[in-house]
Amino acid sequence: MGRDNQTWVSEFILLGLSSDWDTQVSLFVLFLVMYVVTMLGNCLIVLLIRLDSRLHTPMYFFLTNLSLVDVSYATSIVPQLLAHFLAEHKAIPFRSCAAQLFFSLALGGIEFVLLAGMAYDRYVAVCDPLRYSAIMHRGQCARLAIISWASGSINSLMQTTITFQLPMCTNKFIDHISCELLAVVRLACVDTSSNEVAIMVSSILLLMTPFCLVLLSYIRIISTILKIQSREGRRKAFHTCASHLTVVALCYGMAIFTYIQPHSGPSVLQEKLISLFYAILTPMLNPMIHSLRNKEVKGAWQKLLGKFSVLTSKLAT
């Protein structure tokens, strides 16, 4: 194919979930409510951890990072999705598409590595509690967080760069809700084997490697818990890991299903639903998972609400 025919498109058209107007309006209302709940839940978690000194621990430091990632990830996709529900021309400029792919891919990678760091924190807390403070000091927590943010960002920059160097010819219709990696690669009018290899390699590095580290951590954690003699001790030890384990199952399960086999992976509809799962459902559920059964967070909420009630009473009088 000649170079002249391999032109760069100036914009892409996102086909989204449905072309029916009534369905789009219903989805707009539903996703808007979920997005607002996501923003409020995660921002309140960050605020609560910031205000309550009892929550200034490594576990809540990582939870703060996780909430910031969730808010950012949802914001990289949902506002554009909501705008397109009410728009007749569902276009996204070339550069905006590249930016969306970069941020969504980066934040997804950051979350996977961050969850591995949180698993290590739980491993030390359960398996080596006497040395927990010495091992999980502020510098170590900061290093784990920096590794998470740096690795996800670097991988995303590489993937975005090689993806948008592909000639798209005149193909500008993306059958997806956003500029998702596999959906954009499918637009190329050249062989994409090298891109698929790159996707596989990054999946191993940023998905399977952290997943294996999480798996090894929990094998050791479960082994340690089973050796605890008292039933109450086992219950408390497991309770400290239950929230993180739930989030791990949600995040890693869907990602492995989506990216580990680009050729024989999910259908286009499944890819859309998985993207919605990560962009809306997971960020909305994470604050609930980490707070509903957490006595420390509940206590912090009660303390904050108590202060608010006292302040309100003083202002009223």
Side-chain angles (χ1 to χ4, degrees), residues 1-267:
M1 183 178 291
R3 177 71 180 175
D4 293 338
N5 292 329
Q6 297 182 5
T7 55
W8 297 100
V9 295
S10 60
E11 66 177 17
F12 298 101
I13 307 297
L14 294 170
L15 299 183
L17 290 170
S18 173
S19 58
D20 179 71
W21 173 252
D22 292 335
T23 301
Q24 290 185 80
V25 172
S26 299
L27 290 174
F28 172 84
V29 174
L30 174 63
F31 291 153
L32 177 61
V33 171
M34 294 176 73
Y35 179 62
V36 171
V37 172
T38 296
M39 296 298 289
L40 287 175
N42 283 284
C43 290
L44 285 174
I45 284 288
V46 173
L47 179 64
L48 188 66
I49 293 171
R50 178 69 178 174
L51 294 177
D52 197 315
S53 59
R54 294 175 299 177
L55 302 182
H56 293 175
T57 63
M59 182 174 75
Y60 294 105
F61 169 78
F62 290 120
L63 182 55
T64 298
N65 278 266
L66 184 64
S67 291
L68 292 174
V69 169
D70 283 340
V71 166
S72 302
Y73 189 90
T75 302
S76 72
I77 293 177
V78 178
Q80 167 261 312
L81 177 64
L82 294 174
H84 278 192
F85 279 138
L86 304 181
E88 183 177 353
H89 186 58
K90 305 180 191 303
I92 181 170
F94 182 91
R95 290 183 178 180
S96 297
C97 186
Q100 184 181 65
L101 176 59
F102 169 76
F103 284 110
S104 61
L105 197 59
L107 292 162
I110 291 166
E111 181 157 358
F112 295 137
V113 181
L114 188 61
L115 287 172
M118 295 174 75
Y120 177 69
D121 171 67
R122 293 299 83 203
Y123 161 74
V124 177
V126 174
C127 300
D128 199 0
L130 297 179
R131 298 179 58 223
Y132 179 74
S133 298
I135 296 173
M136 297 305 297
H137 52 82
R138 182 174 297 181
Q140 176 74 337
C141 294
R143 279 193 291 272
L144 291 173
I146 290 170
I147 289 171
S148 302
W149 286 85
S151 58
S153 299
I154 293 171
N155 171 70
S156 181
L157 181 61
M158 294 172 59
Q159 291 287 349
T160 303
T161 301
I162 64 174
T163 298
F164 280 91
Q165 285 181 345
L166 292 170
M168 306 297 177
C169 299
T170 57
N171 191 3
K172 63 178 182 178
F173 292 93
I174 301 178
D175 192 4
H176 212 278
I177 63 168
S178 65
C179 292
E180 193 267 346
L181 180 60
L182 297 178
V184 175
V185 169
R186 279 196 292 265
L187 297 182
C189 53
V190 295
D191 179 59
T192 59
S193 299
S194 59
N195 294 78
E196 290 168 0
V197 170
I199 293 172
M200 179 66 73
V201 171
S202 70
S203 297
I204 293 172
L205 292 176
L206 282 186
L207 180 56
M208 294 308 298
T209 301
F211 175 72
C212 290
L213 293 175
V214 170
L215 193 61
L216 290 173
S217 296
Y218 273 100
I219 289 173
R220 293 293 303 275
I221 287 171
I222 293 171
S223 175
T224 301
I225 290 175
L226 292 177
K227 293 177 183 177
I228 298 175
Q229 298 297 322
S230 69
R231 187 174 181 179
E232 181 65 17
R234 288 196 299 270
R235 188 192 67 80
K236 287 183 178 179
F238 180 76
H239 185 73
T240 63
C241 306
S243 297
H244 177 256
L245 193 57
T246 303
V247 174
V248 164
L250 287 172
C251 291
Y252 282 108
M254 284 291 185
I256 291 171
F257 179 69
T258 306
Y259 287 105
I260 207 64
Q261 291 183 325
H263 273 300
S264 57
S267 67

